[in-house]
Amino acid sequence: MFAGAIQDYGRGIILGSPSYGKGTVQSAVDMGRFISPTDKLKIRAAGATKDQDTPVGAPEFGQINVTIAKFYRINGSSTQHKGVHPDIEFPTQFTADKYGESSEPAALPWDQIKSTNYSKIADLTSIKNKLKELHDARMKNSDEYKFLLEDIAEFQKMQNEVTEISLSEAQLKKEREDNKTKNRNRINRLLELHNMPLWKEGEPQPKVEFDFILDESLNIVKDFVNLLAKK
């Protein structure tokens, strides 16, 4: 809701991936309210409420969650199902169609109501377009961005396919060496990009804590400040 408000009022730029898409308000109803004291005694005597997997403090007779309301942005758009889309999107392995609210079979659909009366602080449309151009230009030549896309593709491949493991010792050794070589080459490329000493054969693996998403976010903020200064 905060990200949506920032967009609607023109207060800033939203970076990241689409939000989960949960735009409903639910109320938890303790089913014990609808069971008479006599029936509760009968149920307890029969041992029907004794379950080792029941969390401590959970309603003894269960509960149901009732949807009672929905969230809407000031422009009238629901956050349900679609979530909030960033102005500049970073790729992620956790796609909405598999992990978001829209992946739930009984999720309520997106809808829109009449907008409320509000005034934008600024119209950032042209700046957003320019920021995306600059971001896309950097990504075309970014090895770190390429590594991110490779990791996402590998993750999705593992999710969508049955993992096969060879029983050949020679094949397993080759795959292990290939992975070690790929890992070393990637780490050395990252070290090179950050002007740090390379990882040489026989040395322990260096501790690498580069955050590409954070670094690129800072680049976008820098572009944003520069563009505002030119207006």
Side-chain angles (χ1 to χ4, degrees), residues 8 14 61 69 98 105 108 113 119 125 136 186 196 202 230:
D8 294 339
I14 302 300
F61 300 96
K98 284 190 176 182
L108 291 178
I113 61 175
S119 298
T125 303
D136 290 342
R186 176 181 288 198
M196 298 176 65
K230 294 178 181 179

Side-chain angles (χ1 to χ4, degrees), residues 147 176-192 197-206 208:
F147 294 154
R176 186 179 303 168
E177 288 302 317
D178 289 345
N179 287 332
K180 286 174 61 176
T181 300
K182 177 182 176 181
N183 182 55
R184 179 182 295 276
N185 291 340
R186 176 181 288 198
I187 289 177
N188 276 334
R189 179 55 182 155
L190 292 173
L191 292 170
E192 182 181 8
L198 300 184
W199 177 18
K200 297 180 180 179
E201 188 72 36
E203 295 180 348
Q205 180 174 331
V208 178

